[in-house]
Amino acid sequence: MSILVNSETRVMVQGITGGYGAAHARLSLAYGTKITAGVTPGKGGQLFEGRIPIFNTVEEAKRQTGATATAIFVPPPLAADAILEAVAAGLDLVVCITEGIPVRDMVKVKRVIQGTTTRLLGPNCPGITTPGDGPESQGGCRIGIIPWQLHKKGNIGVVSRSGTLTYEAVSQLTAVGLGQSTCAGIGGDPVHGLSHIDIVKMLDADPDTHGIVMIGEIGGSSEEEAAAWIKDHCRKPIAGFVAGATAPPGRRMGHAGAIINGGTGTAAAKIQAMREAGIAVAPTPSAIAETLVARMREMGVL
Amino acid sequence: MNIHEYQAKLLLGRHGVPAPTGVACDTPLKAKDFAQELFEQGQRRVVLKAQIHAGGRGKGTFKNGLKGGVQICGDAEEVYERAKKMLGGTLVTNQTGPEGRVVSHLLVEAASDIKKEFYLAVLLDRATSRPMVMVSTEGGMEIETIAREKPEKILKEIVDPAVGLMPYQARKLAVALGFTGDMLHSASKLFLGVYQTWWENDASLLEINPLCVVEQPGGKASLVVDAKMSFDDNALYRHPDILAMRDLAEESPLEIEASKYTLNYIKLDGNIACMVNGAGLAMATMDIIQHFGGRPANFLDVGGGAKKEHVTAAFKIILGDPNVRGILVNIFGGIMQCDIIAQGILAAAREIDINVPLVVRLAGANADIGNKMIAESDLKVASASSLTEAASKIVQAVAQSPK
């Protein structure tokens, strides 16, 4: 099993005719992802790569192809509208890759999606991958931009706010022989959809996930919330890492959400919360996989 | 992006939020002339406030010896003499660092007869993903200090973005601060205007500290005596009027240069420069440099779509920091292909003299091609296969290199 997506998930791509969206749609198709539709208003009726139908609206793409998930690659000023169109169409999962969406737009989006059944991953995230059963773990579901070559099918769930730091962790896991059940990037923006806690709960409930890697960074309290829940509920081995121990307060470190404000959101506080929850915190970003291996051995699950 | 106090007061004024009568002046003569007008209108005291993007102005000191970035004057001649010392002077406060900031504008205002001071701020509450209005009776103190010493003195009201701050919420805050009678209504109206200013301009923080109850000829009134405002950079495209308020003199020259190439660069005070793709990995790279006993000179995310020219520009920028004694390049290729980075490094080495130790770690997409290109060049560079190896190598190289 896996969380949120599997090899059967039917995916549409909003912004499939843009350079970035097209490039990653091709990579996902090559990986074996069931991309059934593209959406570009005004280009309905055309075909992507000569075979994937393009629609003018998300609603039509869903109705005609049965897609239940979407990857959003539209420019920042149009992204909030694209997310809400997918929510209105009743998709199960919306993965928004777009970086640079105004916070006010996301505050409105968050307000509207409350109470709906749609789950939002991102924005400003690398997406989600569930490796497949084929050679080199192909045939899985890749929504977003994570390089699929890093993955190996297995039993470790990964959740992270960062893109390349996730790649670092996944490649370490694969190198030590630990494959992944699902890797999900929740994004680096201050207002986002699913949080660490939501993904950890799903990974905890997934029988095929035997261990978890949770990667955080400075800013906000997503890591602390997840740690508080883990302390009382999760018995699976978890390795954690928090980036930004050397970041100066009051400065945004690249990600819009990575900022220490008024003494809150520090790496030290997050690391402490993780340790109190029984999470093994990696001392350096190079030691994420070995920290998980050690914890799994300690708990007798490896 | 941050703006000056006088600019924040202008934006607040557009939403009907009152502040003392004032004008921003860039010469002593303009300051004197406006002060003269205020005195003729019956003002007894005029205040001169140095406009810099840093707090602690009142307790700051100018490098020319003048004490205080906020000066109260009793006549126009005094305004002229003080303004002459302040304008063009460098003000050092507890937030500017020892280098201080050059003052190019003074806000000349009618001095208020302050009876009471409050704290008021609007910001995003990340826990609920909603706007939050925060008030305290402890005006004039820094909010961090209030939060630490008297957290019970801070009141928060979460706003439903579907309707915005409601009048009943504004009244609730005003009542909590002790406002009664007519003052309750005027304070609530002020809170609503402050919220509107924050929301409509895509601000990230709007802090009024202090918000004051003042004694005026017509009776008591609430006024914004100091205001600090910063904006969501991602929303500036829809606010050309605010973008026009950007003061480049308040930003680090290297950071301005970096922003021209869409590089995300933040200068720090260490001596090992780093160049990384991705914000999370860039922070983690800074952390691991410190883990091995070094100190990072900067945060630099070259982004996912960087081309050769961006990499060359990035090298120029990190070498523009005179403290840099070594460079660590850490790239995890995905969208970004490692051979592009390698091309950029080699092009940079041809254009500029890289005279400090350089360690390059390439992983992921096309790392083999990239590593081969660098190995076959005549560039003096140490390569590393893991981040641990890369960080320990550069820290060691810098420790051994002559100062």
Side-chain angles (χ1 to χ4, degrees), chain A residues 20 24 76-78 99-108 110-111 114 145 147 150 161-165 167-169 171 188-192 217-221 225 241-248 251-259 261-263 283-287, chain B residues 123-131 144 160-163 198-202 204 230-235 237-239 255 264-268 276-288 290-292 296 299 301 330 332-335 361 363-364 386-389:
Chain A
Y20 200 41
H24 285 286
L78 313 176
E99 176 175 7
I101 305 175
V103 170
R104 193 176 74 186
D105 293 6
M106 283 310 302
V107 166
K108 291 180 185 171
K110 237 356 244 262
R111 175 68 176 81
Q114 263 180 6
I145 62 174
L150 305 176
R161 277 165 71 181
S162 146
T164 45
L165 190 50
Y167 311 166
E168 179 76 46
S171 72
D189 275 5
V191 179
H192 55 258
E217 62 191 36
I218 54 161
S221 56
E225 283 159 27
F241 179 74
V242 179
T246 50
R251 297 300 307 264
R252 262 172 230 287
M253 306 305 284
H255 284 158
I259 180 166
N261 261 339
T284 74
S286 281
Chain B
L123 66 162
L124 171 77
D125 176 44
R126 290 176 64 159
T128 57
S129 297
R130 291 182 175 205
E144 288 84 358
D160 185 336
V163 290
W198 180 84
W199 176 258
E200 284 175 20
N201 291 295
D202 279 293
S204 43
S230 61
F231 299 88
D232 175 5
D233 290 344
N234 290 335
Y237 74 90
R238 56 191 178 201
H239 300 287
E255 291 177 17
N264 224 319
Y265 170 88
I266 294 172
K267 190 183 171 314
L268 303 170
V276 188
N277 63 328
L281 192 60
M283 279 188 273
T285 305
M286 285 160 46
D287 296 347
I288 199 169
Q290 176 161 290
H291 179 86
F292 283 104
F299 167 93
D301 171 13
N330 179 28
F332 207 109
I335 320 159
R361 184 256 183 156
S386 76
L387 183 48
T388 300
E389 189 192 345

Side-chain angles (χ1 to χ4, degrees), chain A residues 174-219:
Chain A
T174 298
V176 299
L178 290 177
Q180 303 91 42
S181 49
T182 301
C183 299
I186 59 172
D189 275 5
V191 179
H192 55 258
L194 297 171
S195 224
H196 281 109
I197 187 170
D198 305 306
I199 303 290
V200 168
K201 281 180 182 174
M202 292 178 217
L203 291 170
D204 185 56
D206 172 30
D208 286 338
T209 296
H210 302 161
I212 298 170
V213 169
M214 175 167 134
I215 299 171
E217 62 191 36
I218 54 161

Side-chain angles (χ1 to χ4, degrees), chain B residues 175-236:
Chain B
V175 167
L177 292 181
F179 286 95
T180 55
D182 287 348
M183 288 295 285
L184 170 62
H185 292 289
S186 61
S188 314
K189 196 172 155 245
L190 184 147
F191 294 168
L192 291 168
V194 170
Y195 177 79
Q196 282 303 323
T197 309
W198 180 84
W199 176 258
E200 284 175 20
N201 291 295
D202 279 293
S204 43
L205 173 71
L206 176 47
E207 192 179 52
I208 314 288
N209 191 21
L211 166 72
C212 296
V213 171
V214 301
E215 192 70 52
Q216 286 183 332
K220 283 196 171 78
S222 307
L223 286 185
V224 168
V225 169
D226 195 3
K228 183 174 149 189
M229 198 168 184
S230 61
F231 299 88
D232 175 5
D233 290 344
N234 290 335
L236 287 172

Side-chain angles (χ1 to χ4, degrees), chain A:
Chain A
M1 262 182 49
S2 57
I3 65 163
L4 291 166
V5 295
N6 58 44
S7 55
E8 297 307 312
T9 305
R10 296 169 79 81
V11 183
M12 71 173 77
V13 176
Q14 286 169 265
I16 199 165
T17 52
Y20 200 41
H24 285 286
R26 272 183 217 111
L27 289 169
S28 289
L29 279 167
Y31 188 55
T33 307
K34 292 196 165 52
I35 293 187
T36 61
V39 176
T40 300
K43 295 195 176 168
Q46 299 181 12
L47 292 174
F48 176 74
E49 298 283 278
R51 59 190 172 109
I52 310 288
I54 299 175
F55 298 90
N56 287 318
T57 68
V58 172
E59 196 277 327
E60 210 183 341
K62 182 195 173 193
R63 187 156 35 82
Q64 301 275 346
T65 72
T68 57
T70 180
I72 295 180
F73 284 95
V74 308
L78 313 176
D81 182 50
I83 296 171
L84 291 182
E85 185 182 0
V87 173
L91 294 186
D92 296 334
L93 178 67
V94 176
V95 181
C96 185
I97 309 303
T98 308
E99 176 175 7
I101 305 175
V103 170
R104 193 176 74 186
D105 293 6
M106 283 310 302
V107 166
K108 291 180 185 171
V109 165
K110 237 356 244 262
R111 175 68 176 81
V112 175
I113 64 176
Q114 263 180 6
T116 69
T117 54
T118 303
R119 283 158 158 162
L120 171 65
L121 198 59
N124 189 11
C125 81
I128 180 167
T129 307
T130 291
D133 293 318
E136 292 184 78
S137 300
Q138 295 195 44
C141 182
R142 171 189 185 269
I143 303 180
I145 62 174
I146 304 176
W148 60 263
Q149 295 87 345
L150 305 176
H151 289 292
K152 173 180 148 78
K153 190 177 171 64
N155 304 99
I156 306 300
V158 179
V159 54
S160 168
R161 277 165 71 181
S162 146
T164 45
L165 190 50
T166 310
Y167 311 166
E168 179 76 46
V170 170
S171 72
Q172 287 174 29
L173 288 171
T174 298
V176 299
L178 290 177
Q180 303 91 42
S181 49
T182 301
C183 299
I186 59 172
D189 275 5
V191 179
H192 55 258
L194 297 171
S195 224
H196 281 109
I197 187 170
D198 305 306
I199 303 290
V200 168
K201 281 180 182 174
M202 292 178 217
L203 291 170
D204 185 56
D206 172 30
D208 286 338
T209 296
H210 302 161
I212 298 170
V213 169
M214 175 167 134
I215 299 171
E217 62 191 36
I218 54 161
S221 56
S222 176
E223 295 82 358
E224 287 91 329
E225 283 159 27
W229 184 86
I230 287 164
K231 193 176 179 184
D232 295 332
H233 299 94
C234 182
R235 294 290 161 266
K236 290 183 179 176
I238 306 182
F241 179 74
V242 179
T246 50
R251 297 300 307 264
R252 262 172 230 287
M253 306 305 284
H255 284 158
I259 180 166
I260 299 167
N261 261 339
T264 63
T266 63
K270 290 170 189 297
I271 289 169
Q272 196 193 337
M274 283 184 173
R275 291 214 169 108
E276 283 169 6
I279 297 169
V281 179
T284 74
S286 281
I288 294 170
E290 63 189 65
T291 302
L292 182 65
V293 167
R295 172 50 53 95
M296 289 177 84
R297 292 218 168 104
E298 247 173 63
M299 292 175 71
V301 288
L302 193 72

